[in-house]
Amino acid sequence: MKTMEHIDVLNLVNAELYRAKSTVSFQIKKMQRLLEYLPDKSSYIKDCLLKIDYEKSAFGHYYINCNYDIGETRIDIRERMARYYENNLIFVRMDYEEKNVNIKTDSYIFFVEFELEQELKKQLEIICDDAVQPHTIPTENAPEPQRWENLLPDGLRTDEAVSAFNKAIEADLIEICGDRLKWKKSKALLAYFLGNFLKQDGTFPDKHYCLMFGESRLGKALSQLADNKNGNGKPRGYEEIDNLLASNS
């Protein structure tokens, strides 16, 4: 039985990355033609982003559930992916060709989702930048509406949540950037803050919050806080968040 070296796996992964890029390029061109006829382009792209699911692939499951410091560059991801398959498939009793097919199929699925997410974010930034250009200069008597409230997930747009977010904005923890919010502290503190606003069934709307703040794996960051016994489940600097939420009650 042949064995696969790291460079063999990396070559397979690289090949599937470039194949996925071609697929995504074609999908984006079709989407751009569709967007020409849609009145609300940003909502359509946001819906597409929310449907992306890395866990369709084995590596995607690993990527989501490993420590979120895995890195975001394609070089980081390709290298990690090659090592992942090298370590996890080397002892599987299957011939070389079958192993080859499994790695190629799974890498392709992951990279299609990953590349599509990157391209959709670029499209969303372009559309949102256009959308927030003021057609008139607001006067002192007509303040600009806080459109960010519409970004809150359905069922979480409560007076309590809106008030807490407003206080975080006033405290310069959150900055409104058009149709997106920017958190100015650590990801752990953001996860801790958002952990106070769950769905009615107690679940954390991870994808929606990640899209709101342009972050990734906030749910994983929150679960890691819960597992942190030394910090009593709280991140460094949590006092600022506790004080803000206390003033909101």
Side-chain angles (χ1 to χ4, degrees):
M1 180 176 117
K2 294 181 181 179
T3 59
M4 297 187 73
E5 302 294 338
H6 179 77
I7 191 66
D8 295 323
V9 184
L10 188 58
N11 285 338
L12 290 175
V13 170
N14 281 336
E16 296 314 306
L17 167 61
Y18 293 118
R19 189 161 72 97
K21 280 180 175 290
S22 176
T23 299
V24 171
S25 176
F26 179 71
Q27 290 178 335
I28 289 295
K29 287 179 181 177
K30 290 200 302 182
M31 179 177 290
Q32 287 173 332
R33 288 197 294 270
L34 174 63
L35 287 173
E36 293 176 6
Y37 304 99
L38 291 179
D40 191 352
K41 298 176 175 59
S42 61
S43 292
Y44 176 74
I45 294 182
K46 287 176 184 177
D47 288 341
C48 293
L49 277 166
L50 289 172
K51 292 175 183 176
I52 289 175
D53 185 6
Y54 289 139
E55 293 194 17
K56 290 178 182 176
S57 67
F59 182 79
H61 181 78
Y62 163 76
Y63 184 80
I64 290 292
N65 291 284
C66 73
N67 293 334
Y68 54 84
D69 62 355
I70 184 173
E72 296 298 332
T73 70
R74 285 162 180 77
I75 293 176
D76 289 333
I77 293 173
R78 286 180 301 178
E79 188 67 28
R80 296 270 184 146
M81 185 177 280
R83 296 202 179 281
Y84 170 76
Y85 287 119
E86 183 185 16
N87 293 335
N88 286 277
L89 296 178
I90 200 69
F91 300 111
V92 177
R93 299 188 61 82
M94 60 176 67
D95 62 32
Y96 184 90
E97 290 301 324
E98 190 175 346
K99 191 182 299 182
N100 181 320
V101 170
N102 285 351
I103 294 172
K104 288 178 65 175
T105 301
D106 194 54
S107 298
Y108 175 74
I109 292 172
F110 173 82
F111 275 126
V112 166
E113 297 290 299
F114 179 78
E115 292 294 321
L116 186 59
E117 182 190 58
Q118 303 306 307
E119 289 301 319
L120 285 172
K121 284 181 177 178
K122 290 179 186 177
Q123 295 293 320
L124 188 60
E125 287 178 3
I126 294 171
I127 290 170
C128 287
D129 285 344
D130 292 338
V132 298
Q133 293 298 323
H135 297 288
T136 57
I137 299 175
T139 65
E140 293 183 0
N141 296 326
E144 188 176 1
Q146 293 185 343
R147 295 190 301 164
W148 69 265
E149 295 178 13
N150 295 327
L151 298 176
L152 286 170
D154 292 339
L156 289 179
R157 203 175 301 125
T158 63
D159 291 342
E160 179 186 5
V162 170
S163 176
F165 272 72
N166 274 328
K167 288 185 180 296
I169 292 169
E170 291 170 6
D172 201 31
L173 294 173
I174 295 176
E175 179 182 349
I176 303 173
C177 301
D179 285 341
R180 190 179 297 182
L181 302 181
K182 178 181 179 181
W183 181 257
K184 295 189 173 184
K185 297 286 185 176
S186 69
K187 178 186 283 190
L189 271 179
L190 174 58
Y192 181 68
F193 173 72
L194 294 175
N196 291 275
F197 310 106
L198 306 177
K199 290 184 177 180
Q200 289 184 344
D201 60 2
T203 59
F204 184 82
D206 184 47
K207 288 187 177 180
H208 207 122
Y209 280 148
C210 286
L211 187 58
M212 278 178 64
F213 287 93
E215 289 285 355
S216 61
R217 299 178 292 283
L218 286 170
K220 179 64 177 178
L222 183 62
S223 64
Q224 286 183 326
L225 286 177
D227 295 337
N228 182 8
K229 307 300 183 192
N230 295 330
N232 196 28
K234 296 185 177 184
R236 182 179 300 176
Y238 73 88
E239 296 89 351
E240 185 174 10
I241 304 300
D242 283 358
N243 291 336
L244 182 146
L245 293 173
S247 68
N248 190 52
S249 59

